[in-house]
Amino acid sequence: MAHLSGTFYSKTLARPVHYTAVLCNDNAWGTETNPHYKRETKNVYLLHGYSGTDTDWFTNAPLGDLANRFNVNFFMPAGENSFYLDRPETGFKYCQYTGEEFIEYTRKTFGLSDKRENTVIGGLSMGGFGALHTALAYPETFCATLALSSALITYGVKDMTPDMDNPVANYAYYKAMFGEPSEIETSVNNPEVLVKNLVAQKREIPAIYMAVGTEDFLLEPNKRFKAFLDEQNVPVTFFTGPGVHDFVFWRAQLEAGLKWLLGE
């Protein structure tokens, strides 16, 4: 396993950006008998949650072990508190950065496969939302998405008003991230809209793995999105079991999601 911390200038975000990478090592002990090393390496882009940063996954999950066990590379961008969405202001194209520029940069810098089948995006909470949304916005790039405890708050955004008091973030923040709340049901910032568009266009949709704990405050919106996918006849693997909104659950489900991805 190699752990790297890097910075490069992002044209999309108009500033230097930081990222963390964990690369597998095919010289590690035991890889000669590991069937995962008989195929090309998978590249998994992991997104952090609200108030987090690119180092969160490496700090809180055994990425080195998972990388060597499953022959995968992990790349973690810093998404700030953007929900990985594009805004009209200069330097705020986080969906484009995550789904396009960061992919291109890592492929060129690390000599990665440019095949869709080897490119996966995942995340937790805000990053789970971002993983779903980015995969649906760039279905030609990602073969699958691992969405853990996804912050599918679009269901609540549409009812927000300026006088609402939210202890996590104020109305102005949600309006800045998602656009006019009253228009969220038809906005491309809404994953449901992206799904409907792909279904109407008969385009291939990335495989979807969703997981959320039974004690997680985001359980209901995740179940609601799963029901929506069922209505649209979009296949989804959905797991729920004991757990809250923390890395105990996310560590276990990252491994479970990788096994699902690799057909174990």
Side-chain angles (χ1 to χ4, degrees):
M1 178 272 286
H3 168 223
L4 305 174
S5 179
T7 303
F8 73 100
Y9 185 84
S10 165
K11 294 180 180 179
T12 305
L13 298 181
R15 60 181 173 80
V17 292
H18 193 267
Y19 68 93
T20 299
V22 173
L23 310 179
C24 61
N25 180 3
D26 59 7
N27 292 319
W29 182 85
T31 57
E32 64 277 2
T33 58
N34 186 333
H36 291 298
Y37 285 85
K38 296 180 180 179
R39 56 158 172 78
E40 292 183 302
T41 302
K42 305 291 185 183
N43 301 300
V44 181
Y45 295 82
L46 289 178
L47 310 183
H48 64 77
Y50 180 82
S51 75
T53 190
D54 59 288
T55 58
D56 288 0
W57 274 107
F58 179 75
T59 302
N60 293 285
L63 297 189
D65 173 66
L66 295 173
N68 282 352
R69 282 171 57 196
F70 295 115
N71 186 22
V72 298
N73 296 320
F74 295 105
F75 299 95
M76 287 72 70
E80 315 305 331
N81 288 336
S82 67
F83 268 83
Y84 304 92
L85 296 171
D86 288 345
R87 290 164 55 186
E89 304 97 312
T90 299
F92 285 90
K93 303 291 186 186
Y94 281 92
C95 182
Q96 183 180 345
Y97 168 67
T98 306
E100 190 173 325
E101 185 181 22
F102 189 57
I103 305 299
E104 293 174 358
Y105 169 80
T106 53
R107 284 175 173 176
K108 291 178 181 179
T109 301
F110 297 100
L112 307 180
S113 168
D114 62 359
K115 296 178 182 177
R116 178 180 186 267
E117 66 196 63
N118 293 329
T119 310
V120 180
I121 190 166
L124 62 89
S125 194
M126 181 189 79
F129 174 94
L132 283 168
H133 183 272
T134 308
L136 294 168
Y138 292 91
E140 71 284 352
T141 299
F142 302 101
C143 71
T145 179
L146 311 177
L148 312 181
S149 304
S150 301
L152 290 158
I153 64 173
T154 45
Y155 294 119
V157 167
K158 68 182 180 66
D159 296 321
M160 289 182 176
T161 58
D163 60 337
M164 293 184 71
D165 183 23
N166 188 314
V168 177
N170 62 19
Y171 171 84
Y173 166 79
Y174 290 110
K175 183 176 180 179
M177 294 304 107
F178 292 93
E180 188 60 47
S182 62
E183 299 174 2
I184 191 64
E185 291 185 330
T186 58
S187 169
V188 292
N189 288 336
N190 187 337
E192 287 195 1
V193 172
L194 298 184
V195 170
K196 289 178 180 178
N197 290 344
L198 293 176
V199 170
Q201 297 164 9
K202 297 182 179 180
R203 295 175 63 188
E204 187 173 6
I205 296 176
I208 300 173
Y209 179 91
M210 295 180 66
V212 61
T214 50
E215 289 74 48
D216 194 315
F217 68 95
L218 290 170
L219 175 61
E220 290 308 314
N222 276 261
K223 290 169 66 176
R224 183 170 173 178
F225 188 71
K226 193 270 185 186
F228 163 78
L229 293 174
D230 291 341
E231 292 171 0
Q232 296 294 316
N233 295 314
V234 174
V236 56
T237 298
F238 186 89
F239 171 84
T240 186
V244 297
H245 203 72
D246 65 9
F247 264 100
V248 174
F249 184 83
W250 299 326
R251 281 192 294 268
Q253 284 308 303
L254 175 60
E255 180 173 351
L258 290 173
K259 289 181 178 180
W260 164 84
L261 173 70
L262 301 172
E264 286 202 350

